[in-house]
Amino acid sequence: MNENSPPGVLERPSELRYVQYHSSKESTYLTAIRQLISTDLSEPYSIYVYRYFLYQWGDLCFMALDEQENLLGVVISKLEPHRGGPLRGYIAMLAVKEGHRGKGIATKLVRMAIDVMIERDADEIALETEVTNTAAMKLYERLGFLRSKRLHRYYLNGNSAFRFVLFVKEGAATARLTYDDENENEPELPPSA
């Protein structure tokens, strides 16, 4: 309710628009994307990391914008074969402005990315999140992701992570477990930098 509203009348929430990223939007949104993500995530990503994802998989990246075209949330993803095995989607970054959390924005952004990856025949979708980020873990678990592995001291800040995987196709989980067992001595790689 604002000062001009009659008592008891709530303001209509501002309308959100969800848009797919496109390279033509770089000059408008890249700085805002970097600022939002650097505020919310513990990893310091260089401009080259953003461009790596946005130039190759911009169509797997989605933004939530308010009525004034301000960026409120973003998901950055990719889709490619994983180590010669399954076609793996990867959710690299997800951030929502602090004052807009708890409104379903992150869920909508992640679902949009998942839907496009499924349309493109993804076998599975993976991501990592800090073990201390309970809100993110609850979000991913609600969407059907399973914790597959704990990654000790995964992030530069020293925090550990959980890897989450969403098995999209029937049989992907058992095929993946077999593949992982064969490669269990391979070292875990840090996040893209």
Side-chain angles (χ1 to χ4, degrees), residues 57-130:
W57 300 282
D59 56 341
L60 292 174
C61 303
F62 296 91
M63 303 179 295
L65 307 172
D66 68 11
E67 292 171 324
Q68 290 79 40
E69 300 292 306
N70 296 310
L71 182 70
L72 301 181
V74 64
V75 64
I76 297 178
S77 312
K78 71 176 185 170
L79 178 65
E80 63 183 356
H82 180 68
R83 297 181 180 176
L87 187 58
R88 176 183 270 188
Y90 181 71
I91 297 174
M93 301 172 221
L94 172 66
V96 174
K97 275 193 173 179
E98 190 169 355
H100 297 276
R101 294 180 189 157
K103 299 177 182 178
I105 295 171
T107 300
K108 173 80 171 167
L109 290 168
V110 172
R111 282 189 174 152
M112 291 173 78
I114 289 170
D115 289 347
V116 173
M117 289 184 222
I118 290 171
E119 286 173 15
R120 296 196 183 152
D121 211 27
D123 295 301
E124 63 187 29
I125 301 167
L127 60 94
E128 292 85 26
T129 190
E130 289 190 48

Side-chain angles (χ1 to χ4, degrees), residues 112-177:
M112 291 173 78
I114 289 170
D115 289 347
V116 173
M117 289 184 222
I118 290 171
E119 286 173 15
R120 296 196 183 152
D121 211 27
D123 295 301
E124 63 187 29
I125 301 167
L127 60 94
E128 292 85 26
T129 190
E130 289 190 48
V131 297
T132 58
N133 193 343
T134 55
M137 289 188 286
K138 287 177 184 177
L139 163 72
Y140 296 126
E141 287 170 344
R142 272 195 323 268
L143 291 172
F145 284 82
L146 303 171
R147 291 183 198 188
S148 72
K149 194 181 284 191
R150 185 180 179 118
L151 306 166
H152 183 66
R153 298 181 54 85
Y154 184 74
Y155 292 103
L156 292 177
N157 65 6
N159 282 352
S160 296
F162 283 117
R163 174 160 301 136
F164 282 80
V165 179
L166 175 65
F167 296 106
V168 176
K169 291 185 179 170
E170 193 171 322
T174 52
R176 186 73 192 134
L177 291 174

Side-chain angles (χ1 to χ4, degrees), residues 25-42:
K25 297 175 179 160
E26 180 177 343
S27 62
T28 307
Y29 293 112
L30 184 57
T31 300
I33 289 170
R34 289 183 68 198
Q35 287 173 344
L36 178 58
I37 289 172
S38 67
T39 299
D40 284 352
L41 301 184
S42 59

